Amino acid sequence: MLDRDGYRPNVGIIIVNQRNQVFWGKRVREHSWQFPQGGIKQGETPEQAMFRELMEEVGLSSQQVEIIGRTREWLKYDVPTNWVRREWRGTYKGQKQIWFLLRLKGHDSDVCLRRTNHPEFDAWRWNEWWSPLEAVIEFKRGVYEAALSELSRFLDREPDRRPPSPTPSST
């Protein structure tokens, strides 16, 4: 399901523990780390999609987390053409996402990456708030920075340090 501009509606999920560290998942059989995310199915609200993805990817139910906040608007990123399936080229541009900030109410042991037959992650860890900006794939960095910046206002305390924005290169 794409919107008229070629973006697939999606949700992004930032889970924090009591120390405001963020859940960071390693993609199955890749050395690629990211926040949980996934598409919104026809007829689903962003919140319904978020809870479905949370269970599928992290194994957590709505009772094990608390919604702290969400982004006001859609955040978009373009996917490089060489990453787009051949049959989607020309129509698919990327993802538009509503991001949710959740607090884990339970324990680390509640996380279960193998809740489904097709797990998304094969490892996970807690990271400091801004660390994902240094490690996420480049074409997602702008959305990650926008989501982390907007959602930081919902935390008990401001995250320790914000990494400097990359300086534009001159041509």
Side-chain angles (χ1 to χ4, degrees), residues 2 5 24 40 69 76 82 102 120-121 141 152 154 157:
L2 300 178
D5 297 322
W24 196 228
I40 299 173
K76 297 179 182 178
N82 60 318
L102 309 177
E120 298 272 336
F121 302 123
R141 282 192 191 137
S152 68
F154 292 105
R157 60 175 176 76

Side-chain angles (χ1 to χ4, degrees), residues 79-86 89 139:
V79 175
T81 306
N82 60 318
W83 285 67
V84 177
R85 291 185 200 163
R86 187 169 283 143
R89 290 188 184 154
F139 63 84

